Amino acid sequence: MNIEKGLILQLQLATLESQGLLKSSSFGTGKNAVLKALEHLGYIQIDTLSIVERAHHHTLWTRVPDYQPIYLEELVEERNIFEYWFHAASYLPMRDFRFVLPQMRGVQQNQAHYYNADPKVMQHVLDVIRNEGPKKARDFENDSKKAGSWWSWKPTKLALERLFMQGDLMISKRKGMEKTYDLRERVLPDHIDLTEPTPFEFAEYLVRTYLRAYGFTTLKQITHLKTGGILKKDVNEVLQSMLQEKAIQQINIDGMAPIFTEINIMEKAFDGSPRVQLLSPFDNSIIHRDRIQQIFNFDFRLECYVPKEKRQYGYFCLPILFGNTFIGRVDCKAHRKNKQFELIHLHIENIDIGIELWLEPFIESVKQFAKFNGCTTLLLTKVSPTKLTGTIKKMLNK
């Protein structure tokens, strides 16, 4: 093995270990493990798509085998985590609340924000919640239908979202996809630091979060979807300072941007039997598509937003991770009414790895995921390459 291949292998193992994907129960079990995983990863993306179990639940189940959706709901109500925007709608650790204050202030000062709500409606919403207590969006929808109402549902919905984005309201409770809003001061625990971080402190927070969660990072990864030349300058300054202090190390690989890793992470050794995991398309480990392409040689794009005729693999494909190798992807759907989990199209792309190595753990993983989705039977519709169909169907029906 040449030096470059050795470095990439070590980066693969290091980042999967940091993501909690190399071992089962890396963060423990139960609700405490869910909080521990979220604090370690920095955020979990929330998504509304329910072809299979929603992304936030799927991502946590991958790392906490006894995970239950109610754990997440309870952590919100216990004020251990909160909802806001990371690079998308997310759950974040309550301990990190102060680091969203700059973004909240930015929304408040930006009158052209896409949630361009009517100030009068915003004030009405605040008054109602202040006087009557926490409210769901549909509470205002019902009010708007009353005779003599001067507001309608759409302006009220915009007002709720604007007040949430600028930090006047927080999500105090969530049941499924239905959110309950309350005043920020009634949601935040008393001990939370509300000191707004300086731009440099915010850069430090991002660098620490990415190094802890991924084991290695790049300047581009840290500033992904975050605008502003000042942030890029501050992040670079933090990285250079940590290099000088020997708190991190830099690795250079031909054709790639400089990589920054935790100190000595490249000397870590990992062992254990390879597992097969079906990852959410919004899983933290694969959300940076360029990074996955470069380090794992896996080109992944979610195609549910692509016109049907232009899809290459399917509507909602899940990446299939075997040990430290992405062996393919599977387009699947949970048919909850008849409790059937369908593998619409299973694509096996890395045929250099013998089927005898990954098939049994793959079948076990599919069965466990189907159970998590409330399904009791499996249906395999299509396999590529087709020559694997018989072998896989036989194992699936055992």
Side-chain angles (χ1 to χ4, degrees):
M1 182 182 294
N2 63 36
I3 294 175
E4 186 172 297
K5 285 186 177 179
L7 284 175
I8 288 178
L9 173 61
Q10 202 65 26
L11 287 172
Q12 291 173 350
L13 296 173
T15 197
L16 292 174
E17 193 265 350
S18 295
Q19 278 285 303
L21 292 174
L22 275 190
K23 300 174 184 176
S24 178
S25 305
S26 295
F27 299 103
T29 58
K31 185 166 64 176
N32 287 338
V34 175
L35 178 59
K36 186 177 178 182
L38 207 152
E39 288 182 338
H40 178 85
L41 298 173
Y43 80 99
I44 295 290
Q45 184 169 334
I46 301 170
D47 194 73
T48 59
L49 295 173
S50 59
I51 308 302
V52 297
E53 185 58 88
R54 289 186 173 95
H56 39 292
H57 298 311
H58 184 175
T59 298
L60 286 164
W61 175 81
T62 303
R63 293 159 174 81
V64 183
D66 66 342
Y67 173 79
Q68 299 176 39
I70 195 173
Y71 291 158
L72 208 51
E73 296 169 7
E74 289 177 352
L75 288 169
V76 171
E77 294 183 47
E78 293 163 3
R79 311 301 189 244
N80 286 312
I81 65 177
F82 71 101
E83 293 187 33
Y84 197 62
W85 204 263
F86 195 67
H87 69 267
S90 302
Y91 288 105
L92 296 104
M94 188 63 81
R95 69 179 188 188
D96 292 342
F97 183 82
R98 67 183 290 248
F99 294 104
V100 304
L101 291 173
Q103 188 170 347
M104 289 177 172
R105 177 174 51 80
V107 174
Q108 192 172 35
Q109 294 175 351
N110 181 7
Q111 296 305 314
H113 192 271
Y114 53 89
Y115 291 125
N116 193 14
D118 185 327
K120 290 182 179 179
V121 180
M122 289 169 63
Q123 188 58 56
H124 167 75
V125 168
L126 278 175
D127 289 343
V128 170
I129 293 177
R130 181 175 290 109
N131 295 327
E132 299 181 14
K135 293 287 183 182
K136 303 177 180 67
R138 61 185 168 92
D139 295 330
F140 291 98
E141 182 180 17
N142 294 334
D143 284 347
S144 71
K145 296 175 182 177
K146 293 178 182 177
S149 293
W150 56 269
W151 70 89
S152 66
W153 166 231
K154 185 175 180 181
T156 308
K157 177 63 174 173
L158 283 173
L160 277 169
E161 294 299 333
R162 175 85 186 208
L163 289 165
F164 167 72
M165 288 300 295
Q166 66 185 37
D168 295 289
L169 296 179
M170 291 183 69
I171 307 302
S172 61
K173 186 177 181 180
R174 176 190 278 270
K175 192 70 175 176
M177 294 309 293
E178 186 174 54
K179 300 175 284 189
T180 299
Y181 298 84
D182 201 356
L183 301 179
R184 183 171 87 175
E185 57 265 30
R186 296 202 294 232
V187 176
L188 280 180
D190 293 337
H191 66 273
I192 294 299
D193 184 1
L194 294 177
T195 307
E196 184 171 330
T198 65
F200 191 79
E201 286 177 321
F202 182 68
E204 287 182 313
Y205 155 72
L206 289 177
V207 171
R208 288 196 307 269
T209 298
Y210 278 83
L211 285 170
R212 181 184 68 241
Y214 296 97
F216 74 89
T217 192
T218 65
L219 180 61
K220 181 180 179 181
Q221 182 181 335
I222 296 171
T223 56
H224 178 64
L225 296 181
K226 294 177 174 64
T227 58
I230 293 177
L231 176 62
K232 187 174 182 179
K233 172 182 169 294
D234 285 340
V235 166
N236 188 54
E237 190 174 330
V238 171
L239 289 169
Q240 296 308 314
S241 176
M242 293 178 74
L243 279 174
Q244 290 179 4
E245 295 168 0
K246 300 191 184 309
I248 60 174
Q249 56 188 344
Q250 180 175 324
I251 294 172
N252 297 308
I253 297 176
D254 286 346
M256 297 176 60
I259 295 170
F260 303 93
T261 78
E262 293 178 316
I263 207 73
N264 298 325
I265 198 168
M266 302 305 289
E267 285 75 48
K268 286 186 178 182
F270 306 104
D271 52 24
S273 301
R275 300 186 301 140
V276 168
Q277 297 174 88
L278 307 180
L279 300 180
S280 166
F282 301 100
D283 193 281
N284 297 51
S285 65
I286 62 162
I287 205 67
H288 299 282
R289 310 307 194 201
D290 291 347
R291 178 177 169 275
I292 292 301
Q293 169 82 65
Q294 291 179 321
I295 300 299
F296 291 91
N297 193 28
F298 184 61
D299 185 13
F300 181 76
R301 297 290 185 275
L302 181 58
E303 296 183 324
C304 62
Y305 306 113
V306 175
K308 186 175 182 179
E309 62 275 10
K310 293 184 178 181
R311 290 176 196 150
Q312 183 178 359
Y313 296 104
Y315 181 81
F316 202 77
C317 281
L318 311 183
I320 305 170
L321 179 66
F322 174 56
N324 65 309
T325 303
F326 286 95
I327 61 172
R329 66 200 84 199
V330 56
D331 185 27
C332 51
K333 182 176 182 178
H335 300 280
R336 296 178 179 86
K337 284 187 178 180
N338 60 7
K339 296 188 176 182
Q340 185 180 68
F341 192 85
E342 182 182 6
L343 306 179
I344 300 169
H345 195 164
L346 171 61
H347 305 264
I348 299 302
E349 300 157 53
N350 196 325
I351 57 175
D352 292 336
I353 298 179
I355 190 172
E356 70 280 359
L357 297 175
W358 58 260
L359 183 54
E360 190 171 337
F362 170 74
I363 298 298
E364 178 60 27
S365 182
V366 167
K367 288 180 177 179
Q368 290 299 319
F369 190 58
K371 183 179 178 181
F372 179 60
N373 279 269
C375 297
T376 55
T377 60
L378 296 170
L379 173 65
L380 177 61
T381 304
K382 186 176 181 180
V383 179
S384 293
T386 55
K387 65 181 181 181
L388 301 178
T389 304
T391 303
I392 296 174
K393 277 192 173 181
K394 184 178 179 181
M395 281 290 292
L396 205 61
N397 295 324
K398 262 192 174 185

